[in-house]
């Protein structure tokens, strides 16, 4: 066995300054040295031995941390570990005075690696022997760059988390299995109206949960339920209470944290105030219910009104019918004596009762015109009343349209001649109609006599055209025309439009009303007008060729 040998160390064999003399405790010393070096090489931090500030020993971790092989740095100054001379002197200045206390360390000291990379080290030093006489020390460099970075990151994320929690527009609450509040964020404090000192450690029940709505402070059943079904507890909506006693609705999201024994250690709750939504929902519900009631009530009222209306409508219709019948019979009673008045006046005017002087003739002529006006009025009223009472029957027969047109012209010819107006008739070869002849003639005479009454110069044109199963009879004049705003009024009863011809033309205001009634209700057609003030009027009457067919169609 070799008695003088260099112990296995991070340095090359034989370069180890620790030589051991052979002696009786060589075995144990050797074992101690082996333990010593294997410990040094197992340490993950760089360890160097210094004598007179010169490296005489370095462990294997030096290479891992600084990139220097242990052999390379033996005999060098530790300056190689620092960025510059100042740092090198600085560390000496900070170390040596303190080393009297045998060991010391400096946190976060900047060092450099062999390839110039900066690292942060915790530098610890211990004296071997007497620092003043021996000047040998051991220095350990612990690379804390990564720790620092992790620490920094941790600090940053903690800061971010804190900011998030504090600035959140939600209540963030932590409470333990005993129901005690262990944390609440600023927002939560302001929301519930407590200071941190007032609320931390307090039981949730009676603080933010109304006491009346729980089974007291015993949360064990709740905790059991939570344990059994944490998922169901994840989201819930509760009515909570503030310090001032006001009630609020909060939607909670809960995260249950368990300890290693599967017991609840704490609950993290995030709450959002939904009082406004709840109130709106409530209002909406009340409103909806109220609305339903209102709709029901209104429907009942409407139904009643409808049935009342139907009742009164039936009554009204009946009354209307009775009125029309009354007018019809009364008018008949009036017409008979009136006809005899007209007849006798006519005979007297013709001189059958002897010679008349000028004044008598003039007075009788006035009476004759008035009686005729009255007769026309009564005749119209009788017709209208009959139509309205549903008593104006139609008597269709096969007739020649030309004959009807000729008859109407014969009837209005005297007025036409008197006013020196022209008349043009444009119609196809004779058309046969199955129609109520008397009523069509009445319509035509009405339209033609109106055209003559309201035309001062020019003339009247009658155009007749077949349109499929209908006949269009168009009466056009070059008269005073009708203002656009008055057009709708002309078919209303007793409507006479203002014009300089109103008095001279005479009339009852019933002619067009009656014509329309006959055209639609008796002849089953319709009538329309186009006119412009000062440019004449065009009345168009459309009636079916065969009244019977048209009645069947309807
Ligand atoms: P009236 O007996 O007054 O002629 P109508 O019912 O026949 O009554 O006509 C209603 C009103 O329509 C008339 O008073 C007149 O103002 C207007 N009117 C009717 N036909 C014409 C027409 N061809 N040209 C201009 N105005 C007309």
């Amino acid at each position: 066995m070799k008695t003088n040998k260099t112990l296995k160390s991070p340095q090359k064999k034989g370069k180890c300054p620790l030589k051991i003399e052979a002696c009786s405790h060589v075995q144990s010393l050797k074992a101690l040295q082996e333990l010593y070096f294997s410990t040094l090489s197992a340490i993950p931090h760089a360890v160097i031995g210094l004598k007179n500030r010169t490296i005489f020993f370095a462990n294997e971790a030096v290479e891992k941390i600084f990139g220097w092989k242990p052999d390379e740095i033996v005999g060098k100054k530790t300056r190689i570990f620092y960025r510059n001379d100042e740092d090198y002197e600085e560390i000496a200045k900070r170390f040596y005075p303190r080393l009297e206390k045998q060991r010391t360390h400096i946190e976060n000291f900047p060092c450099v690696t062999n390839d110039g990379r900066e690292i942060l080290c915790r530098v610890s030093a211990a004296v071997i022997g007497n620092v003043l006489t021996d000047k040998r020390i051991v220095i350990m460099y612990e690379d804390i760059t990564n720790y620092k970075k992790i620490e920094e990151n941790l600090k940053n994320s903690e800061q971010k988390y804190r900011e998030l929690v504090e600035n959140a527009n939600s209540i963030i609450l932590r409470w333990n299995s005993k129901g005690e509040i262990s944390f609440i964020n600023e927002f939560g404090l302001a929301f519930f109206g407590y200071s941190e000192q007032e609320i931390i450690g307090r039981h949730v029940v009676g603080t933010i949960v109304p006491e009346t709505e729980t089974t007291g402070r015993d949360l064990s059943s709740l905790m059991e339920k939570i344990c059994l079904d944490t998922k169901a507890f994840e989201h819930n909506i509760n009515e909570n209470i503030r310090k001032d006693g006001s009630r609020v609705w909060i939607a909670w999201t809960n995260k249950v944290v368990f300890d290693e024994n599967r017991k609840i250690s704490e609950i993290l709750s995030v709450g959002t105030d939904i009082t406004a939504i709840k109130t709106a929902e409530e209002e909406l519900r009340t409103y909806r219910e109220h609305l339903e009631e209102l709709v029901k009530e209104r429907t009942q009222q409407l139904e009643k009104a409808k049935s009342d209306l139907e009742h009164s409508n039936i009554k009204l219709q009946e009354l209307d019918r009775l009125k029309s019948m009354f007018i019809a019979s009364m008018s008949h009673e009036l017409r008979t004596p009136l006809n005899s008045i007209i007849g006798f006046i006519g005979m007297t005017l013709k001189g059958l009762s002897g010679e008349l002087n000028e004044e008598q003739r003039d007075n009788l002529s006035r009476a004759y015109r008035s009686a005729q006006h009255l007769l026309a009025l009564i005749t119209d009223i009788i017709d209208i009343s009959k139509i309205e009472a549903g008593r104006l029957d139609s008597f269709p027969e096969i007739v020649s349209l030309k004959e009807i047109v000729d008859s109407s012209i014969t009837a209005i010819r005297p007025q036409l001649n008197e006013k020196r107006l022209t008349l043009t008739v444009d119609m196809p070869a004779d058309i046969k109609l199955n129609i109520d002849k008397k009523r069509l003639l009445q319509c035509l005479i009405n339209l033609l006599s109106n055209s003559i009454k309201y035309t001062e110069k020019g003339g009247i044109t009658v155009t007749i055209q077949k349109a499929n199963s209908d006949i269009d009879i168009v009466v056009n004049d070059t008269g005073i025309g009708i203002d656009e705003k008055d057009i709708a009024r002309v078919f209303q009863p007793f409507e006479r439009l203002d014009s300089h011809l109103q008095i001279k033309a005479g009339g009852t205001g019933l002619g067009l009303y009656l014509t329309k009634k006959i055209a639609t209700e008796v002849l089953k057609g319709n009538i329309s007008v186009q006119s412009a003030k000062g440019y004449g009027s065009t009345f168009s009457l459309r009636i079916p060729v065969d009244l019977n067919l048209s009645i069947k169609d309807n």
Side-chain angles (χ1 to χ4, degrees), residues 450-451 453-454 477 480-482 490 495-497 506-513 537 539:
N450 271 354
S451 289
K453 279 200 292 185
Y454 301 106
D477 63 53
I480 57 170
I482 303 163
V490 297
E495 283 285 358
R496 303 201 68 215
L497 308 179
T508 59
L510 285 172
L512 283 178
Y513 177 65
S537 310
F539 284 83

PDB file of all heavy atoms in Angstrom, residues 450-451 453-454 477 480-482 490 495-497 506-513 537 539, ligand 1:
ATOM      1  N   ASN A 450    -125.865  65.965 -65.417  1.00  0.00           N
ATOM      2  CA  ASN A 450    -124.810  66.648 -64.637  1.00  0.00           C
ATOM      3  C   ASN A 450    -123.809  67.306 -65.575  1.00  0.00           C
ATOM      4  O   ASN A 450    -123.410  68.447 -65.370  1.00  0.00           O
ATOM      5  CB  ASN A 450    -124.072  65.640 -63.750  1.00  0.00           C
ATOM      6  CG  ASN A 450    -124.747  65.492 -62.393  1.00  0.00           C
ATOM      7  OD1 ASN A 450    -125.686  66.211 -62.087  1.00  0.00           O
ATOM      8  ND2 ASN A 450    -124.270  64.549 -61.586  1.00  0.00           N
ATOM      9  N   SER A 451    -123.373  66.540 -66.600  1.00  0.00           N
ATOM     10  CA  SER A 451    -122.377  67.074 -67.538  1.00  0.00           C
ATOM     11  C   SER A 451    -122.904  68.354 -68.186  1.00  0.00           C
ATOM     12  O   SER A 451    -122.151  69.320 -68.359  1.00  0.00           O
ATOM     13  CB  SER A 451    -122.066  66.051 -68.633  1.00  0.00           C
ATOM     14  OG  SER A 451    -121.322  64.997 -68.075  1.00  0.00           O
ATOM     15  N   LYS A 453    -125.260  70.343 -66.905  1.00  0.00           N
ATOM     16  CA  LYS A 453    -125.411  71.378 -65.867  1.00  0.00           C
ATOM     17  C   LYS A 453    -124.087  72.079 -65.569  1.00  0.00           C
ATOM     18  O   LYS A 453    -124.034  73.274 -65.349  1.00  0.00           O
ATOM     19  CB  LYS A 453    -125.932  70.724 -64.570  1.00  0.00           C
ATOM     20  CG  LYS A 453    -127.441  70.491 -64.559  1.00  0.00           C
ATOM     21  CD  LYS A 453    -127.994  70.308 -63.162  1.00  0.00           C
ATOM     22  CE  LYS A 453    -127.550  69.026 -62.507  1.00  0.00           C
ATOM     23  NZ  LYS A 453    -128.187  68.809 -61.194  1.00  0.00           N
ATOM     24  N   TYR A 454    -122.986  71.266 -65.540  1.00  0.00           N
ATOM     25  CA  TYR A 454    -121.705  71.841 -65.094  1.00  0.00           C
ATOM     26  C   TYR A 454    -120.745  72.122 -66.251  1.00  0.00           C
ATOM     27  O   TYR A 454    -119.537  72.183 -66.076  1.00  0.00           O
ATOM     28  CB  TYR A 454    -121.059  70.927 -64.033  1.00  0.00           C
ATOM     29  CG  TYR A 454    -121.977  70.764 -62.840  1.00  0.00           C
ATOM     30  CD1 TYR A 454    -122.672  69.578 -62.611  1.00  0.00           C
ATOM     31  CD2 TYR A 454    -122.196  71.833 -61.967  1.00  0.00           C
ATOM     32  CE1 TYR A 454    -123.541  69.444 -61.552  1.00  0.00           C
ATOM     33  CE2 TYR A 454    -123.077  71.711 -60.905  1.00  0.00           C
ATOM     34  CZ  TYR A 454    -123.749  70.517 -60.705  1.00  0.00           C
ATOM     35  OH  TYR A 454    -124.623  70.416 -59.653  1.00  0.00           O
ATOM     36  N   ASP A 477    -116.964  65.442 -70.147  1.00  0.00           N
ATOM     37  CA  ASP A 477    -117.415  66.801 -70.530  1.00  0.00           C
ATOM     38  C   ASP A 477    -116.270  67.789 -70.474  1.00  0.00           C
ATOM     39  O   ASP A 477    -115.201  67.485 -69.947  1.00  0.00           O
ATOM     40  CB  ASP A 477    -118.581  67.235 -69.630  1.00  0.00           C
ATOM     41  CG  ASP A 477    -118.195  67.348 -68.170  1.00  0.00           C
ATOM     42  OD1 ASP A 477    -117.214  68.048 -67.856  1.00  0.00           O
ATOM     43  OD2 ASP A 477    -118.874  66.701 -67.310  1.00  0.00           O
ATOM     44  N   ILE A 480    -116.679  72.566 -65.861  1.00  0.00           N
ATOM     45  CA  ILE A 480    -115.887  73.296 -64.840  1.00  0.00           C
ATOM     46  C   ILE A 480    -114.908  72.368 -64.095  1.00  0.00           C
ATOM     47  O   ILE A 480    -113.988  72.820 -63.446  1.00  0.00           O
ATOM     48  CB  ILE A 480    -116.796  74.028 -63.828  1.00  0.00           C
ATOM     49  CG1 ILE A 480    -117.749  73.020 -63.144  1.00  0.00           C
ATOM     50  CG2 ILE A 480    -117.560  75.156 -64.490  1.00  0.00           C
ATOM     51  CD1 ILE A 480    -118.513  73.602 -61.966  1.00  0.00           C
ATOM     52  N   GLY A 481    -115.140  71.069 -64.179  1.00  0.00           N
ATOM     53  CA  GLY A 481    -114.251  70.117 -63.504  1.00  0.00           C
ATOM     54  C   GLY A 481    -114.418  70.131 -61.991  1.00  0.00           C
ATOM     55  O   GLY A 481    -115.179  70.932 -61.428  1.00  0.00           O
ATOM     56  N   ILE A 482    -113.689  69.257 -61.341  1.00  0.00           N
ATOM     57  CA  ILE A 482    -113.806  69.129 -59.867  1.00  0.00           C
ATOM     58  C   ILE A 482    -112.405  69.180 -59.278  1.00  0.00           C
ATOM     59  O   ILE A 482    -111.474  68.531 -59.785  1.00  0.00           O
ATOM     60  CB  ILE A 482    -114.486  67.788 -59.483  1.00  0.00           C
ATOM     61  CG1 ILE A 482    -115.865  67.690 -60.142  1.00  0.00           C
ATOM     62  CG2 ILE A 482    -114.601  67.618 -57.977  1.00  0.00           C
ATOM     63  CD1 ILE A 482    -116.440  66.291 -60.175  1.00  0.00           C
ATOM     64  N   VAL A 490    -118.157  63.905 -54.039  1.00  0.00           N
ATOM     65  CA  VAL A 490    -119.276  63.978 -54.997  1.00  0.00           C
ATOM     66  C   VAL A 490    -120.233  62.805 -54.889  1.00  0.00           C
ATOM     67  O   VAL A 490    -121.393  62.929 -55.271  1.00  0.00           O
ATOM     68  CB  VAL A 490    -118.790  64.154 -56.468  1.00  0.00           C
ATOM     69  CG1 VAL A 490    -118.046  65.450 -56.648  1.00  0.00           C
ATOM     70  CG2 VAL A 490    -117.976  62.972 -56.937  1.00  0.00           C
ATOM     71  N   GLU A 495    -124.203  66.361 -50.993  1.00  0.00           N
ATOM     72  CA  GLU A 495    -122.972  67.131 -51.195  1.00  0.00           C
ATOM     73  C   GLU A 495    -123.089  67.875 -52.516  1.00  0.00           C
ATOM     74  O   GLU A 495    -123.227  67.251 -53.570  1.00  0.00           O
ATOM     75  CB  GLU A 495    -121.747  66.189 -51.234  1.00  0.00           C
ATOM     76  CG  GLU A 495    -121.308  65.694 -49.872  1.00  0.00           C
ATOM     77  CD  GLU A 495    -120.585  66.755 -49.043  1.00  0.00           C
ATOM     78  OE1 GLU A 495    -120.381  67.878 -49.543  1.00  0.00           O
ATOM     79  OE2 GLU A 495    -120.261  66.450 -47.876  1.00  0.00           O
ATOM     80  N   ARG A 496    -123.036  69.169 -52.457  1.00  0.00           N
ATOM     81  CA  ARG A 496    -123.002  69.992 -53.672  1.00  0.00           C
ATOM     82  C   ARG A 496    -121.771  70.875 -53.561  1.00  0.00           C
ATOM     83  O   ARG A 496    -121.577  71.561 -52.563  1.00  0.00           O
ATOM     84  CB  ARG A 496    -124.254  70.848 -53.793  1.00  0.00           C
ATOM     85  CG  ARG A 496    -125.542  70.019 -53.769  1.00  0.00           C
ATOM     86  CD  ARG A 496    -126.694  70.788 -54.395  1.00  0.00           C
ATOM     87  NE  ARG A 496    -126.490  70.973 -55.825  1.00  0.00           N
ATOM     88  CZ  ARG A 496    -126.873  72.058 -56.493  1.00  0.00           C
ATOM     89  NH1 ARG A 496    -127.460  73.051 -55.858  1.00  0.00           N
ATOM     90  NH2 ARG A 496    -126.672  72.154 -57.784  1.00  0.00           N
ATOM     91  N   LEU A 497    -120.903  70.846 -54.546  1.00  0.00           N
ATOM     92  CA  LEU A 497    -119.652  71.591 -54.437  1.00  0.00           C
ATOM     93  C   LEU A 497    -119.872  73.062 -54.787  1.00  0.00           C
ATOM     94  O   LEU A 497    -120.715  73.387 -55.632  1.00  0.00           O
ATOM     95  CB  LEU A 497    -118.589  70.983 -55.380  1.00  0.00           C
ATOM     96  CG  LEU A 497    -118.357  69.473 -55.241  1.00  0.00           C
ATOM     97  CD1 LEU A 497    -117.303  69.007 -56.229  1.00  0.00           C
ATOM     98  CD2 LEU A 497    -117.943  69.118 -53.816  1.00  0.00           C
ATOM     99  N   GLY A 506    -129.021  74.156 -60.274  1.00  0.00           N
ATOM    100  CA  GLY A 506    -130.058  73.496 -59.480  1.00  0.00           C
ATOM    101  C   GLY A 506    -129.666  72.065 -59.175  1.00  0.00           C
ATOM    102  O   GLY A 506    -128.730  71.524 -59.754  1.00  0.00           O
ATOM    103  N   GLY A 507    -130.355  71.438 -58.249  1.00  0.00           N
ATOM    104  CA  GLY A 507    -130.007  70.048 -57.920  1.00  0.00           C
ATOM    105  C   GLY A 507    -130.258  69.755 -56.470  1.00  0.00           C
ATOM    106  O   GLY A 507    -130.514  70.668 -55.667  1.00  0.00           O
ATOM    107  N   THR A 508    -130.179  68.484 -56.135  1.00  0.00           N
ATOM    108  CA  THR A 508    -130.476  68.060 -54.765  1.00  0.00           C
ATOM    109  C   THR A 508    -129.243  67.573 -54.006  1.00  0.00           C
ATOM    110  O   THR A 508    -129.268  67.412 -52.798  1.00  0.00           O
ATOM    111  CB  THR A 508    -131.469  66.891 -54.804  1.00  0.00           C
ATOM    112  OG1 THR A 508    -130.874  65.828 -55.557  1.00  0.00           O
ATOM    113  CG2 THR A 508    -132.778  67.298 -55.433  1.00  0.00           C
ATOM    114  N   GLY A 509    -128.189  67.267 -54.743  1.00  0.00           N
ATOM    115  CA  GLY A 509    -126.989  66.694 -54.102  1.00  0.00           C
ATOM    116  C   GLY A 509    -127.173  65.208 -53.854  1.00  0.00           C
ATOM    117  O   GLY A 509    -126.365  64.576 -53.152  1.00  0.00           O
ATOM    118  N   LEU A 510    -128.224  64.642 -54.472  1.00  0.00           N
ATOM    119  CA  LEU A 510    -128.469  63.210 -54.260  1.00  0.00           C
ATOM    120  C   LEU A 510    -128.215  62.390 -55.526  1.00  0.00           C
ATOM    121  O   LEU A 510    -128.114  61.163 -55.463  1.00  0.00           O
ATOM    122  CB  LEU A 510    -129.929  62.986 -53.831  1.00  0.00           C
ATOM    123  CG  LEU A 510    -130.273  63.374 -52.398  1.00  0.00           C
ATOM    124  CD1 LEU A 510    -131.781  63.277 -52.176  1.00  0.00           C
ATOM    125  CD2 LEU A 510    -129.558  62.477 -51.405  1.00  0.00           C
ATOM    126  N   GLY A 511    -128.072  63.092 -56.671  1.00  0.00           N
ATOM    127  CA  GLY A 511    -127.976  62.410 -57.965  1.00  0.00           C
ATOM    128  C   GLY A 511    -126.847  61.388 -58.032  1.00  0.00           C
ATOM    129  O   GLY A 511    -127.077  60.211 -58.337  1.00  0.00           O
ATOM    130  N   LEU A 512    -125.607  61.819 -57.716  1.00  0.00           N
ATOM    131  CA  LEU A 512    -124.465  60.893 -57.834  1.00  0.00           C
ATOM    132  C   LEU A 512    -124.500  59.818 -56.753  1.00  0.00           C
ATOM    133  O   LEU A 512    -124.088  58.681 -56.981  1.00  0.00           O
ATOM    134  CB  LEU A 512    -123.141  61.658 -57.795  1.00  0.00           C
ATOM    135  CG  LEU A 512    -122.760  62.393 -59.094  1.00  0.00           C
ATOM    136  CD1 LEU A 512    -121.463  63.151 -58.925  1.00  0.00           C
ATOM    137  CD2 LEU A 512    -122.640  61.399 -60.257  1.00  0.00           C
ATOM    138  N   TYR A 513    -125.005  60.204 -55.579  1.00  0.00           N
ATOM    139  CA  TYR A 513    -125.122  59.222 -54.485  1.00  0.00           C
ATOM    140  C   TYR A 513    -126.030  58.087 -54.933  1.00  0.00           C
ATOM    141  O   TYR A 513    -125.721  56.904 -54.796  1.00  0.00           O
ATOM    142  CB  TYR A 513    -125.662  59.926 -53.231  1.00  0.00           C
ATOM    143  CG  TYR A 513    -125.907  59.014 -52.053  1.00  0.00           C
ATOM    144  CD1 TYR A 513    -124.843  58.358 -51.419  1.00  0.00           C
ATOM    145  CD2 TYR A 513    -127.204  58.801 -51.565  1.00  0.00           C
ATOM    146  CE1 TYR A 513    -125.076  57.517 -50.329  1.00  0.00           C
ATOM    147  CE2 TYR A 513    -127.433  57.966 -50.480  1.00  0.00           C
ATOM    148  CZ  TYR A 513    -126.368  57.328 -49.868  1.00  0.00           C
ATOM    149  OH  TYR A 513    -126.591  56.499 -48.804  1.00  0.00           O
ATOM    150  N   SER A 537    -114.713  66.841 -66.668  1.00  0.00           N
ATOM    151  CA  SER A 537    -114.772  65.627 -65.841  1.00  0.00           C
ATOM    152  C   SER A 537    -115.071  64.413 -66.697  1.00  0.00           C
ATOM    153  O   SER A 537    -115.671  64.523 -67.760  1.00  0.00           O
ATOM    154  CB  SER A 537    -115.880  65.752 -64.795  1.00  0.00           C
ATOM    155  OG  SER A 537    -115.764  66.963 -64.106  1.00  0.00           O
ATOM    156  N   PHE A 539    -116.760  60.641 -66.020  1.00  0.00           N
ATOM    157  CA  PHE A 539    -117.385  59.652 -65.140  1.00  0.00           C
ATOM    158  C   PHE A 539    -117.421  58.322 -65.884  1.00  0.00           C
ATOM    159  O   PHE A 539    -117.865  58.275 -67.034  1.00  0.00           O
ATOM    160  CB  PHE A 539    -118.808  60.087 -64.749  1.00  0.00           C
ATOM    161  CG  PHE A 539    -118.809  61.180 -63.710  1.00  0.00           C
ATOM    162  CD1 PHE A 539    -118.645  62.512 -64.070  1.00  0.00           C
ATOM    163  CD2 PHE A 539    -118.958  60.879 -62.364  1.00  0.00           C
ATOM    164  CE1 PHE A 539    -118.636  63.517 -63.108  1.00  0.00           C
ATOM    165  CE2 PHE A 539    -118.949  61.886 -61.392  1.00  0.00           C
ATOM    166  CZ  PHE A 539    -118.783  63.208 -61.768  1.00  0.00           C
TER     167      PHE A 539
HETATM  168  P1  LIG B   1    -126.528  67.720 -57.945  1.00  0.00           P
HETATM  169  O1  LIG B   1    -128.007  67.488 -57.891  1.00  0.00           O
HETATM  170  O2  LIG B   1    -126.102  68.883 -57.132  1.00  0.00           O
HETATM  171  O3  LIG B   1    -126.054  67.761 -59.313  1.00  0.00           O
HETATM  172  P2  LIG B   1    -125.094  65.306 -57.736  1.00  0.00           P
HETATM  173  O4  LIG B   1    -125.067  64.286 -56.647  1.00  0.00           O
HETATM  174  O5  LIG B   1    -125.537  64.857 -59.027  1.00  0.00           O
HETATM  175  O6  LIG B   1    -125.905  66.497 -57.176  1.00  0.00           O
HETATM  176  O7  LIG B   1    -123.650  65.892 -57.833  1.00  0.00           O
HETATM  177  C1  LIG B   1    -122.999  66.280 -56.665  1.00  0.00           C
HETATM  178  C2  LIG B   1    -122.070  67.444 -56.956  1.00  0.00           C
HETATM  179  O8  LIG B   1    -121.020  66.999 -57.790  1.00  0.00           O
HETATM  180  C3  LIG B   1    -122.697  68.549 -57.777  1.00  0.00           C
HETATM  181  O9  LIG B   1    -123.392  69.475 -56.951  1.00  0.00           O
HETATM  182  C4  LIG B   1    -121.493  69.184 -58.448  1.00  0.00           C
HETATM  183  O10 LIG B   1    -120.890  70.095 -57.574  1.00  0.00           O
HETATM  184  C5  LIG B   1    -120.570  67.997 -58.668  1.00  0.00           C
HETATM  185  N1  LIG B   1    -120.681  67.450 -60.054  1.00  0.00           N
HETATM  186  C6  LIG B   1    -121.436  66.416 -60.469  1.00  0.00           C
HETATM  187  N2  LIG B   1    -121.221  66.183 -61.780  1.00  0.00           N
HETATM  188  C7  LIG B   1    -120.320  67.081 -62.207  1.00  0.00           C
HETATM  189  C8  LIG B   1    -119.698  67.356 -63.482  1.00  0.00           C
HETATM  190  N3  LIG B   1    -119.961  66.655 -64.562  1.00  0.00           N
HETATM  191  N4  LIG B   1    -118.831  68.400 -63.553  1.00  0.00           N
HETATM  192  C9  LIG B   1    -118.527  69.117 -62.442  1.00  0.00           C
HETATM  193  N5  LIG B   1    -119.095  68.916 -61.240  1.00  0.00           N
HETATM  194  C10 LIG B   1    -119.971  67.903 -61.110  1.00  0.00           C
END
